[in-house]
PDB file of all heavy atoms in Angstrom:
ATOM      1  N   HIS A 108     -17.539  11.786 -18.014  1.00  0.00           N
ATOM      2  CA  HIS A 108     -16.907  11.640 -16.697  1.00  0.00           C
ATOM      3  C   HIS A 108     -15.479  12.191 -16.676  1.00  0.00           C
ATOM      4  O   HIS A 108     -14.957  12.489 -15.608  1.00  0.00           O
ATOM      5  CB  HIS A 108     -16.977  10.182 -16.202  1.00  0.00           C
ATOM      6  CG  HIS A 108     -15.918   9.288 -16.731  1.00  0.00           C
ATOM      7  ND1 HIS A 108     -15.972   8.686 -17.953  1.00  0.00           N
ATOM      8  CD2 HIS A 108     -14.735   8.889 -16.189  1.00  0.00           C
ATOM      9  CE1 HIS A 108     -14.893   7.953 -18.139  1.00  0.00           C
ATOM     10  NE2 HIS A 108     -14.121   8.049 -17.081  1.00  0.00           N
ATOM     11  N   GLY A 109     -14.878  12.358 -17.874  1.00  0.00           N
ATOM     12  CA  GLY A 109     -13.566  13.007 -17.927  1.00  0.00           C
ATOM     13  C   GLY A 109     -13.712  14.517 -18.030  1.00  0.00           C
ATOM     14  O   GLY A 109     -13.357  15.257 -17.112  1.00  0.00           O
ATOM     15  N   VAL A 110     -14.300  14.964 -19.144  1.00  0.00           N
ATOM     16  CA  VAL A 110     -14.371  16.403 -19.434  1.00  0.00           C
ATOM     17  C   VAL A 110     -15.255  17.150 -18.427  1.00  0.00           C
ATOM     18  O   VAL A 110     -14.866  18.181 -17.887  1.00  0.00           O
ATOM     19  CB  VAL A 110     -14.913  16.622 -20.876  1.00  0.00           C
ATOM     20  CG1 VAL A 110     -14.917  18.099 -21.224  1.00  0.00           C
ATOM     21  CG2 VAL A 110     -14.072  15.855 -21.871  1.00  0.00           C
ATOM     22  N   VAL A 111     -16.448  16.625 -18.192  1.00  0.00           N
ATOM     23  CA  VAL A 111     -17.365  17.277 -17.249  1.00  0.00           C
ATOM     24  C   VAL A 111     -16.968  16.907 -15.815  1.00  0.00           C
ATOM     25  O   VAL A 111     -17.117  17.698 -14.888  1.00  0.00           O
ATOM     26  CB  VAL A 111     -18.830  16.873 -17.550  1.00  0.00           C
ATOM     27  CG1 VAL A 111     -19.791  17.679 -16.685  1.00  0.00           C
ATOM     28  CG2 VAL A 111     -19.149  17.052 -19.031  1.00  0.00           C
ATOM     29  N   GLY A 112     -16.423  15.706 -15.684  1.00  0.00           N
ATOM     30  CA  GLY A 112     -15.968  15.246 -14.369  1.00  0.00           C
ATOM     31  C   GLY A 112     -14.950  16.191 -13.757  1.00  0.00           C
ATOM     32  O   GLY A 112     -14.954  16.442 -12.555  1.00  0.00           O
ATOM     33  N   ALA A 113     -14.078  16.755 -14.590  1.00  0.00           N
ATOM     34  CA  ALA A 113     -13.059  17.686 -14.083  1.00  0.00           C
ATOM     35  C   ALA A 113     -13.723  18.886 -13.410  1.00  0.00           C
ATOM     36  O   ALA A 113     -13.237  19.387 -12.387  1.00  0.00           O
ATOM     37  CB  ALA A 113     -12.156  18.141 -15.232  1.00  0.00           C
ATOM     38  N   GLN A 114     -14.836  19.343 -13.996  1.00  0.00           N
ATOM     39  CA  GLN A 114     -15.572  20.474 -13.404  1.00  0.00           C
ATOM     40  C   GLN A 114     -16.179  20.076 -12.049  1.00  0.00           C
ATOM     41  O   GLN A 114     -16.138  20.839 -11.082  1.00  0.00           O
ATOM     42  CB  GLN A 114     -16.688  20.904 -14.380  1.00  0.00           C
ATOM     43  CG  GLN A 114     -17.479  22.101 -13.928  1.00  0.00           C
ATOM     44  CD  GLN A 114     -16.661  23.383 -13.924  1.00  0.00           C
ATOM     45  OE1 GLN A 114     -16.005  23.712 -14.909  1.00  0.00           O
ATOM     46  NE2 GLN A 114     -16.680  24.101 -12.802  1.00  0.00           N
ATOM     47  N   ILE A 115     -16.709  18.860 -11.995  1.00  0.00           N
ATOM     48  CA  ILE A 115     -17.323  18.365 -10.745  1.00  0.00           C
ATOM     49  C   ILE A 115     -16.246  18.213  -9.661  1.00  0.00           C
ATOM     50  O   ILE A 115     -16.448  18.551  -8.494  1.00  0.00           O
ATOM     51  CB  ILE A 115     -18.073  17.039 -11.020  1.00  0.00           C
ATOM     52  CG1 ILE A 115     -19.261  17.300 -11.968  1.00  0.00           C
ATOM     53  CG2 ILE A 115     -18.548  16.387  -9.718  1.00  0.00           C
ATOM     54  CD1 ILE A 115     -19.977  16.056 -12.464  1.00  0.00           C
ATOM     55  N   ILE A 116     -15.080  17.732 -10.067  1.00  0.00           N
ATOM     56  CA  ILE A 116     -13.949  17.574  -9.128  1.00  0.00           C
ATOM     57  C   ILE A 116     -13.512  18.937  -8.581  1.00  0.00           C
ATOM     58  O   ILE A 116     -13.279  19.096  -7.386  1.00  0.00           O
ATOM     59  CB  ILE A 116     -12.770  16.870  -9.858  1.00  0.00           C
ATOM     60  CG1 ILE A 116     -13.113  15.403 -10.095  1.00  0.00           C
ATOM     61  CG2 ILE A 116     -11.462  17.027  -9.099  1.00  0.00           C
ATOM     62  CD1 ILE A 116     -12.239  14.716 -11.126  1.00  0.00           C
ATOM     63  N   LYS A 117     -13.466  19.908  -9.472  1.00  0.00           N
ATOM     64  CA  LYS A 117     -13.071  21.262  -9.077  1.00  0.00           C
ATOM     65  C   LYS A 117     -14.069  21.819  -8.051  1.00  0.00           C
ATOM     66  O   LYS A 117     -13.680  22.346  -7.010  1.00  0.00           O
ATOM     67  CB  LYS A 117     -13.055  22.140 -10.336  1.00  0.00           C
ATOM     68  CG  LYS A 117     -12.362  23.458 -10.194  1.00  0.00           C
ATOM     69  CD  LYS A 117     -12.313  24.120 -11.581  1.00  0.00           C
ATOM     70  CE  LYS A 117     -11.563  25.420 -11.547  1.00  0.00           C
ATOM     71  NZ  LYS A 117     -11.452  26.022 -12.878  1.00  0.00           N
ATOM     72  N   ASP A 118     -15.334  21.660  -8.355  1.00  0.00           N
ATOM     73  CA  ASP A 118     -16.379  22.237  -7.491  1.00  0.00           C
ATOM     74  C   ASP A 118     -16.509  21.497  -6.159  1.00  0.00           C
ATOM     75  O   ASP A 118     -16.682  22.110  -5.117  1.00  0.00           O
ATOM     76  CB  ASP A 118     -17.738  22.206  -8.209  1.00  0.00           C
ATOM     77  CG  ASP A 118     -17.758  23.137  -9.408  1.00  0.00           C
ATOM     78  OD1 ASP A 118     -16.912  24.048  -9.464  1.00  0.00           O
ATOM     79  OD2 ASP A 118     -18.608  22.946 -10.297  1.00  0.00           O
ATOM     80  N   GLU A 119     -16.433  20.173  -6.195  1.00  0.00           N
ATOM     81  CA  GLU A 119     -16.719  19.403  -4.975  1.00  0.00           C
ATOM     82  C   GLU A 119     -15.480  19.089  -4.146  1.00  0.00           C
ATOM     83  O   GLU A 119     -15.530  19.075  -2.925  1.00  0.00           O
ATOM     84  CB  GLU A 119     -17.441  18.095  -5.339  1.00  0.00           C
ATOM     85  CG  GLU A 119     -18.815  18.362  -5.929  1.00  0.00           C
ATOM     86  CD  GLU A 119     -19.579  17.082  -6.223  1.00  0.00           C
ATOM     87  OE1 GLU A 119     -19.138  15.983  -5.824  1.00  0.00           O
ATOM     88  OE2 GLU A 119     -20.638  17.184  -6.887  1.00  0.00           O
ATOM     89  N   LEU A 120     -14.367  18.792  -4.811  1.00  0.00           N
ATOM     90  CA  LEU A 120     -13.159  18.401  -4.065  1.00  0.00           C
ATOM     91  C   LEU A 120     -12.195  19.572  -3.883  1.00  0.00           C
ATOM     92  O   LEU A 120     -11.173  19.433  -3.206  1.00  0.00           O
ATOM     93  CB  LEU A 120     -12.444  17.244  -4.783  1.00  0.00           C
ATOM     94  CG  LEU A 120     -13.260  15.957  -4.964  1.00  0.00           C
ATOM     95  CD1 LEU A 120     -12.430  14.906  -5.705  1.00  0.00           C
ATOM     96  CD2 LEU A 120     -13.729  15.414  -3.624  1.00  0.00           C
ATOM     97  N   LYS A 121     -12.523  20.704  -4.528  1.00  0.00           N
ATOM     98  CA  LYS A 121     -11.702  21.922  -4.406  1.00  0.00           C
ATOM     99  C   LYS A 121     -10.279  21.709  -4.928  1.00  0.00           C
ATOM    100  O   LYS A 121      -9.307  22.212  -4.351  1.00  0.00           O
ATOM    101  CB  LYS A 121     -11.662  22.437  -2.959  1.00  0.00           C
ATOM    102  CG  LYS A 121     -13.031  22.565  -2.302  1.00  0.00           C
ATOM    103  CD  LYS A 121     -13.897  23.593  -3.003  1.00  0.00           C
ATOM    104  CE  LYS A 121     -15.319  23.610  -2.453  1.00  0.00           C
ATOM    105  NZ  LYS A 121     -16.293  24.176  -3.399  1.00  0.00           N
ATOM    106  N   ILE A 122     -10.181  20.926  -5.991  1.00  0.00           N
ATOM    107  CA  ILE A 122      -8.885  20.745  -6.655  1.00  0.00           C
ATOM    108  C   ILE A 122      -8.852  21.724  -7.824  1.00  0.00           C
ATOM    109  O   ILE A 122      -9.730  21.681  -8.697  1.00  0.00           O
ATOM    110  CB  ILE A 122      -8.711  19.286  -7.141  1.00  0.00           C
ATOM    111  CG1 ILE A 122      -8.571  18.360  -5.938  1.00  0.00           C
ATOM    112  CG2 ILE A 122      -7.504  19.159  -8.065  1.00  0.00           C
ATOM    113  CD1 ILE A 122      -8.639  16.885  -6.271  1.00  0.00           C
TER     114      ILE A 122
END
Side-chain angles (χ1 to χ4, degrees):
H108 83 278
V110 183
V111 187
Q114 183 68 50
I115 295 172
I116 288 163
K117 194 174 183 177
D118 293 340
E119 295 183 9
L120 300 179
K121 310 296 173 202
I122 291 170

